[in-house]
Amino acid sequence: MLEKFIIIAIGGGFGSALRFAVSALIANSRFPAATFIVNILGCFIIGLVSAYFNTHSNISQNIKYLFTAGFCGGFTTFSAFSLENMNLIEKGDYLIFFSYVFSSVIFGIVAVFLGYYLIK
């Protein structure tokens, strides 16, 4: 178990560093372009690696963790959220899909406001 944590931490470190680099390279504007780009790119990357890992069963779990939970998780948690939703859609769990998307967005925004205003 400790090995998995270390693998994920290594991937997460690289993902977080790349997210910082993208944010530093993209000028600030009214639209949060850096976050948008990172989220969409992270979703694309997790889609690529998930499809690859699903078609190549001989790849070790540690490599999967390195790229999915590690790199993509450090790069953007939005990618994991999107992958979970794709899985719900593929299973036909549309009610859970819509509930998860709606509640995650609404409660996430409310939680940010609550946390912010509790300290302010």
Side-chain angles (χ1 to χ4, degrees), residues 66-87:
L66 177 73
F67 284 100
T68 56
F71 179 80
C72 288
F75 191 54
T76 171
T77 58
F78 192 74
S79 59
F81 171 75
S82 298
L83 179 64
E84 289 167 346
N85 280 298
M86 182 196 75
N87 289 334

Side-chain angles (χ1 to χ4, degrees), residues 86-100:
M86 182 196 75
N87 289 334
L88 289 170
I89 291 168
E90 285 184 337
K91 291 177 187 172
D93 290 334
Y94 300 111
L95 181 60
I96 295 172
F97 161 73
F98 285 114
S99 299
Y100 184 41

Side-chain angles (χ1 to χ4, degrees), residues 48-61:
L48 287 175
V49 298
S50 293
Y52 184 81
F53 295 149
N54 285 340
T55 58
H56 295 80
S57 59
N58 59 334
I59 297 173
S60 83
Q61 284 295 108

Side-chain angles (χ1 to χ4, degrees), residues 2-79:
L2 179 61
E3 182 181 6
K4 285 182 178 55
F5 283 114
I6 293 169
I7 299 269
I8 291 168
I10 291 168
F14 282 109
S16 295
L18 184 58
R19 180 180 63 229
F20 176 79
V22 170
S23 295
L25 290 173
I26 297 176
N28 291 334
S29 64
R30 284 185 66 204
F31 183 80
T35 301
F36 179 78
I37 290 168
V38 163
N39 283 338
I40 302 307
L41 185 57
C43 290
F44 180 70
I45 292 169
I46 205 168
L48 287 175
V49 298
S50 293
Y52 184 81
F53 295 149
N54 285 340
T55 58
H56 295 80
S57 59
N58 59 334
I59 297 173
S60 83
Q61 284 295 108
N62 286 341
I63 297 297
K64 293 176 185 179
Y65 287 129
L66 177 73
F67 284 100
T68 56
F71 179 80
C72 288
F75 191 54
T76 171
T77 58
F78 192 74
S79 59

